[in-house]
Amino acid sequence: MADDFEAMWGALAPVGRSAASGGYFRQPWAGAERELRAWFVEACEQRGLRVQGDGLGNLVGWWGEEHATRPDERLLTGSHLDSVLDGGAYDGPLGVVSALAAIDRMRERGVVPARPVGVSVFVEEEGSRFGLACLGSRLLTGATTWERARELRDRDGVALPDALEAAGLPGPQAGDPDLLAGVTTFVELHVEQGRALVDLGRAIGVASGIWPHGRYRFELSGTADHAGTTRMEDRADPMLTYATTALAADEEARRAGARATFGRVEVVPNGTNAVPSRVTAWLDARCESEGALAELVAGLERRARQRAEVDGTEVRVVAESVSGLVSFDPDLARRVAADHTGGDWPVLPTQAGHDAGILSGAGIPTVMLFVRNPTGVSHSPAEHAELPDCLAGVDALADTLERLCT
Amino acid sequence: MADDFEAMWGALAPVGRSAASGGYFRQPWAGAERELRAWFVEACEQRGLRVQGDGLGNLVGWWGEEHATRPDERLLTGSHLDSVLDGGAYDGPLGVVSALAAIDRMRERGVVPARPVGVSVFVEEEGSRFGLACLGSRLLTGATTWERARELRDRDGVALPDALEAAGLPGPQAGDPDLLAGVTTFVELHVEQGRALVDLGRAIGVASGIWPHGRYRFELSGTADHAGTTRMEDRADPMLTYATTALAADEEARRAGARATFGRVEVVPNGTNAVPSRVTAWLDARCESEGALAELVAGLERRARQRAEVDGTEVRVVAESVSGLVSFDPDLARRVAADHTGGDWPVLPTQAGHDAGILSGAGIPTVMLFVRNPTGVSHSPAEHAELPDCLAGVDALADTLERLCT
C-alpha cells in the first residue's frame, strides 16, 4: 500500500526543482505546474476517475459516482500543486497525492461510497504569481470576481487572461462545469507549517480554524538623488522609512503574539549610487482575531508615517487582500478528530491561509488534517515531513473519507 | 553660437527618455546608449574630427592634428553618454556636448591649436549595468584588467563579452588604438551634483579632488520560512539585519559628515508570504579621507554583525570597488581657476566618482569644471542645469581649452 504514495511522490520530486537551492518553482500556468496538472489528469484516468476541469485550470477527479446513493452530497478532498518561489515539496502536493492514495486504499478495502468522492486541485493557491492567494478557489466560489481577477498582472506585467491563454486555457467560460455543484463536505490534508504537532508528539492533527490575515502594500516615495553628492540632511530617502517599518513589524508582532513579515521589496531605480525614489514593500500580517489584525496594521502604518515625517517621504498603504477569521465546522472537526484507532487527534488553529478557508467561507462544511513537520519550516526548500508521517496522513485521510462517504 | 549647443542638446533630449518618469535609461551597450554613440561619431565627422574607437566602445574625436606643433602633448576633454537607471539628462552628456560646442567656438575664433584636442566618450561610467563605475576608462588606463572585467555580469546574467558582442563590439583587441597615447592633460566638464555653487552664487567651479568612495555588497543570509505559521521567535530573518544596517548607515554617515546609502536591494525569494532566505544590499559610502571611509564601512559591518547575532543570520561583506582619494593637479586647477574674465572660479571637492579620477590616477594631469545645478539633485529625472549656466560652461571650457592648447 505504501508503494502507491511513494511511487507518486517520487514521480513528482524532480518537477520544478531548482538544482541550485533544492527548492521548488511551481508557479501557476507555467512549465512545472502545467506538468503537474497533466500528471494529475493522467493519475485520475489511470484510476478511472472522471476528470472535470474549468477554464482556469482547476481540476477534480470523481470516484464512485456510478453507485452513489447520495449523489447530491458530494465529498471533496484535495489541495494544490503550485508552490511559492523556491518553496518546499509538501505544501500542496502532499494533500493531492495523499487523496489519490487514500482512494486507492479505500478501494482495496472494498469501500463502496454512498457519496461521490472527488479529488481536487485548485490553481494559484499561493498567490506567488498574481499576488492573490487561493485565486482558483476564490473564483470558483465567487469570493473574487472575474472582473477583478482579469486585471491582475504578474511581476513581468503579464495579465491573468494572457497567462491563461499562454497555458492553453480560455479563462472562465459560460459552459464551464461547476466543480463545487453538490459538494457538501470538503477535506484538505496539508503538511503542518509550524511545530505544534512536534511539541505535542503527534503525527496527525485537525484544524479548528485559520487566523485572520492579509497582504498590505506599503508604497513609500521620496526623491531620487546622487548617493555621493547629496548630503544626508538634504535627502528624502524612502529606504529609511521602509527599514524603520520593517523593524517595527517585527517588534509589534512579537508584542502581540502575532505574525508580521516584510518578505517582498521592490526598489526604484535600485541602483547602487542612487538614493531611491520609491520603495514598495509587502506586509504579510496574521493575528488571532480580526480586531487584533486591524490594530497591528494600523499601528505599523502609524509607525511608517511617523518616520516618513522625519525622512520627508510619503506613505500609502493598500490592502491587497484581507481574509477574516475562518472557523471550520466545529462538529465536523470533533467527529473527524474522534472515533478512530490511535486516540483522538489534537485540534489546533493555523496561521496559514488555505483553499479550505475559502470553501468554508462559501458555506461548505470543511475540515483540515495536518501532517507533522519536524522542523516546522515551510515555504522553503527545507520544508519536510517524514515518510512514516506521510503514510499516517494517508491512513488518516482514508479513514476520515471512509467515515464521511459511507 | 548658442545655437550649436542648443541644437545638439535638443537632438539628444528624447534618446532613452522614459515617458513615465521623464528620466533617462541609457545603459551601456544597449539601445539608447548605442544611439548616442552613433550620434557622437556623426557629430565628429560633421566637424571633420578624426574618430578613433576601441573594442569596448570608448571613442575620441581629434581636432587640429594637422597643424599641431606639439603633437605628442595631446589635450583631451569629454565625459560619458551613459546614465544611471532613471537618471538625468546632464550627468555625462553635458560634458560631451559642451566639448563639441567649445571646439566650434574656438574654430569660430580662429584658434589654431598647438596641441591636438580630443573629445572623448568613455563607456559605462556609471557602472549601472556591470556594477563597476568608470569601466571604460578603467580598462583604458589599466586600473582594471580585462581578465577581471570579462567575468562581470549584468543583472540578467549577461557576461560583459556577450554584451559587447551583442552591440557589435569585439572587446579589447591587440590592434586597438591607444586612445590615451600622448595625452598629457584631461579636462572634464560636468554638471555639479550638489549645491556648493548655488550656495556660493556662482555658475562655474573647478574641482580640487574626489572623495574616497566604494561599493560594498552586504550578503545577509537566514532561513526561508512560512510568513504565517513561523513564530517570530523561531525565525532567522535577514530582512531585519538589513533594516538595522540601513538605518545605521544613515546615522553613522550623518555623524561623520560622510555619505552612506543603501539604494539597491535584492531579496530571495522575494515572496510576500515567505520569510526571506537572503537579502543582498549594496552600500555606497564616501568620506573625506581614506581612513574615515574604512572606519565608516567597518563600523557598519560591526553593526550588521551585532544585529545578525540577535536575528540568527549570517553576514558577509564584499568590497566590489574602492577608489582612493583623488587630488587633481593643484597647479593646473589654480591656473584654470584664475586668469580669465569674470573673476576666479571657486575650487571645491566633489563626492562623485568620474572618469577624470581614473585618468588622474593614471598620472595624467587632470582638471574638472562644474556647472551649477539649481537643486543639487542628480541621478534623478529632476537633475537640471539652466541654459545660461550651460552656455557659461561652454564658454568656460572653450577658454580653458584655448589657454591649454595654444
Side-chain angles (χ1 to χ4, degrees):
Chain A
M1 249 347 296
D3 287 352
D4 288 351
F5 176 87
E6 285 182 69
M8 285 189 275
W9 199 249
L12 300 194
V15 182
R17 185 175 193 171
S18 154
S21 70
Y24 288 87
F25 289 82
R26 294 167 168 173
Q27 273 53 68
W29 304 296
E33 191 257 8
R34 289 171 67 178
E35 197 176 320
L36 291 178
R37 282 191 292 121
W39 168 89
F40 175 76
V41 170
E42 199 182 313
C44 287
E45 286 170 350
Q46 283 170 353
R47 286 165 174 78
L49 309 187
R50 181 178 69 93
V51 177
Q52 282 189 306
D54 65 15
L56 283 166
N58 291 312
L59 295 166
V60 179
W62 291 107
W63 173 56
E65 288 177 308
E66 55 287 4
H67 300 298
T69 54
R70 292 149 63 197
D72 297 332
E73 297 173 28
R74 288 169 180 257
L75 171 60
L76 196 64
T77 183
S79 193
H80 62 95
L81 292 171
D82 63 304
S83 75
V84 296
L85 300 165
D86 209 17
Y90 296 82
D91 179 352
L94 186 65
V96 176
V97 171
S98 296
L100 292 170
I103 287 184
D104 292 344
R105 199 154 302 192
M106 287 190 285
R107 274 183 155 158
E108 291 203 353
R109 291 206 287 250
V111 172
V112 178
R115 305 165 65 184
V117 180
V119 179
S120 61
V121 171
F122 298 116
V123 287
E124 178 66 317
E125 194 268 351
E126 298 289 2
S128 70
R129 182 163 176 193
F130 286 96
L132 187 58
C134 301
L135 185 58
S137 57
R138 279 177 190 275
L139 285 166
L140 210 48
T141 57
T144 295
T145 64
W146 177 242
E147 284 59 45
R148 182 183 165 202
R150 61 176 301 131
E151 302 301 325
L152 294 172
R153 289 175 183 274
D154 69 10
R155 284 157 209 254
D156 299 326
V158 178
L160 178 56
D162 296 331
L164 290 168
E165 193 185 331
L169 289 163
Q173 300 289 297
D176 273 348
D178 177 359
L179 302 181
L180 299 179
V183 171
T184 54
T185 312
F186 180 59
V187 183
E188 180 167 3
L189 177 143
H190 205 279
V191 66
E192 201 201 350
Q193 299 177 292
R195 296 193 232 196
L197 290 175
V198 175
D199 291 347
L200 294 167
R202 303 293 298 275
I204 305 294
V206 176
S208 57
I210 302 176
W211 278 16
H213 58 280
R215 296 176 179 209
Y216 308 85
R217 190 172 70 243
F218 281 60
E219 296 176 355
L220 312 171
S221 49
T223 307
D225 244 321
H226 191 293
T229 55
T230 317
R231 290 182 303 178
M232 306 311 288
E233 295 77 8
D234 294 338
R235 301 178 175 200
D237 184 353
M239 188 68 87
L240 303 175
T241 317
Y242 166 64
T244 301
T245 311
L247 292 172
D250 177 62
E251 286 165 27
E252 299 287 341
R254 282 172 191 262
R255 190 170 302 156
R259 314 273 189 271
T261 309
F262 279 101
R264 179 178 175 198
V265 180
E266 286 176 8
V267 182
V268 174
N270 210 31
T272 304
N273 56 354
V275 176
S277 59
R278 196 164 70 244
V279 174
T280 307
W282 283 259
L283 169 69
D284 180 300
R286 318 201 186 205
C287 294
E288 207 169 354
S289 74
E290 293 174 16
L293 178 63
E295 200 177 306
L296 177 73
V297 175
L300 291 178
E301 181 168 348
R302 206 158 48 235
R303 295 279 292 268
R305 291 192 186 283
Q306 281 166 0
R307 175 73 196 205
E309 281 197 22
V310 176
D311 294 330
T313 53
E314 307 268 326
V315 174
R316 181 167 171 252
V317 179
V318 179
E320 288 193 341
S321 72
V322 182
S323 305
L325 177 71
V326 173
S327 296
F328 292 126
D329 187 308
D331 288 338
L332 182 60
R334 250 192 309 273
R335 274 174 57 206
V336 166
D339 299 331
H340 53 81
T341 54
D344 287 5
W345 293 318
V347 179
L348 29 96
T350 177
Q351 293 75 35
H354 295 287
D355 293 316
I358 303 300
L359 270 60
S360 174
I364 298 172
T366 293
V367 68
M368 289 191 76
L369 293 175
F370 288 134
V371 172
R372 174 165 53 193
N373 175 338
T375 63
V377 170
S378 185
H379 284 192
S380 149
E383 180 183 277
H384 187 65
E386 297 292 341
L387 180 61
D389 288 354
C390 293
L391 297 177
V394 175
D395 277 336
L397 184 59
D399 285 358
T400 300
L401 295 175
E402 181 172 344
R403 279 184 291 137
L404 292 172
C405 78
T406 51
Chain B
M1 247 347 297
D3 288 353
D4 289 351
F5 177 86
E6 285 183 70
M8 284 191 276
W9 199 250
L12 298 194
V15 183
R17 185 175 194 171
S18 154
S21 70
Y24 288 87
F25 289 83
R26 293 166 168 175
Q27 273 54 67
W29 304 296
E33 191 257 8
R34 290 171 67 179
E35 196 176 323
L36 291 178
R37 281 190 292 121
W39 167 87
F40 175 76
V41 170
E42 199 181 313
C44 287
E45 287 169 349
Q46 284 170 353
R47 285 165 175 78
L49 310 187
R50 180 177 69 93
V51 177
Q52 282 189 307
D54 65 15
L56 283 167
N58 290 311
L59 295 166
V60 179
W62 292 107
W63 172 56
E65 288 176 308
E66 55 288 5
H67 302 297
T69 54
R70 294 149 62 199
D72 296 333
E73 297 174 29
R74 289 170 179 257
L75 170 60
L76 197 64
T77 183
S79 192
H80 61 95
L81 292 171
D82 63 305
S83 76
V84 297
L85 300 165
D86 209 17
Y90 295 82
D91 179 352
L94 185 65
V96 176
V97 171
S98 296
L100 291 170
I103 287 185
D104 293 344
R105 198 154 303 191
M106 286 190 284
R107 276 183 154 158
E108 292 202 352
R109 291 205 288 250
V111 172
V112 179
R115 306 166 64 184
V117 180
V119 179
S120 60
V121 171
F122 298 115
V123 286
E124 179 65 317
E125 194 268 352
E126 298 290 2
S128 69
R129 182 162 176 193
F130 287 95
L132 187 57
C134 302
L135 185 57
S137 58
R138 279 176 190 275
L139 286 166
L140 210 48
T141 57
T144 295
T145 63
W146 177 242
E147 284 58 46
R148 181 183 166 201
R150 61 175 300 131
E151 303 300 326
L152 294 172
R153 289 175 182 274
D154 70 9
R155 285 157 209 253
D156 298 326
V158 178
L160 178 56
D162 297 330
L164 289 168
E165 193 185 331
L169 288 163
Q173 299 289 296
D176 273 348
D178 178 358
L179 302 182
L180 299 179
V183 171
T184 55
T185 313
F186 179 60
V187 182
E188 180 167 3
L189 177 144
H190 205 279
V191 66
E192 201 201 349
Q193 299 177 293
R195 296 192 231 195
L197 291 175
V198 175
D199 292 348
L200 293 166
R202 302 293 299 275
I204 305 296
V206 176
S208 56
I210 302 176
W211 279 17
H213 58 279
R215 296 176 179 209
Y216 307 85
R217 191 173 70 242
F218 280 61
E219 296 175 355
L220 312 170
S221 49
T223 308
D225 245 322
H226 190 292
T229 54
T230 317
R231 291 182 304 177
M232 305 311 288
E233 295 77 10
D234 294 338
R235 300 179 176 199
D237 184 353
M239 189 68 87
L240 303 174
T241 317
Y242 166 64
T244 301
T245 311
L247 291 173
D250 177 63
E251 286 165 26
E252 299 288 340
R254 282 173 191 262
R255 190 170 302 155
R259 315 272 190 269
T261 310
F262 279 101
R264 179 178 175 198
V265 179
E266 286 175 9
V267 182
V268 174
N270 210 29
T272 304
N273 57 354
V275 176
S277 59
R278 195 163 71 244
V279 174
T280 307
W282 282 260
L283 169 69
D284 180 300
R286 318 201 184 205
C287 294
E288 209 170 351
S289 73
E290 293 173 16
L293 178 63
E295 200 178 305
L296 177 73
V297 175
L300 291 178
E301 181 169 348
R302 206 158 47 236
R303 295 279 292 267
R305 290 191 188 283
Q306 281 165 0
R307 174 73 196 205
E309 280 197 23
V310 176
D311 294 329
T313 53
E314 306 270 324
V315 175
R316 181 168 172 251
V317 179
V318 178
E320 288 192 341
S321 71
V322 182
S323 304
L325 177 70
V326 173
S327 295
F328 292 126
D329 187 310
D331 289 337
L332 182 59
R334 248 191 312 273
R335 276 176 57 207
V336 166
D339 300 331
H340 53 82
T341 54
D344 287 5
W345 293 318
V347 179
L348 29 96
T350 177
Q351 293 76 35
H354 295 287
D355 294 315
I358 303 299
L359 269 62
S360 174
I364 298 172
T366 292
V367 68
M368 287 191 76
L369 293 175
F370 288 134
V371 173
R372 174 165 53 194
N373 175 339
T375 63
V377 170
S378 185
H379 285 192
S380 149
E383 179 184 276
H384 187 65
E386 298 291 341
L387 180 61
D389 287 354
C390 293
L391 297 177
V394 175
D395 277 336
L397 184 60
D399 286 358
T400 300
L401 295 176
E402 181 172 344
R403 280 184 289 138
L404 292 172
C405 78
T406 53

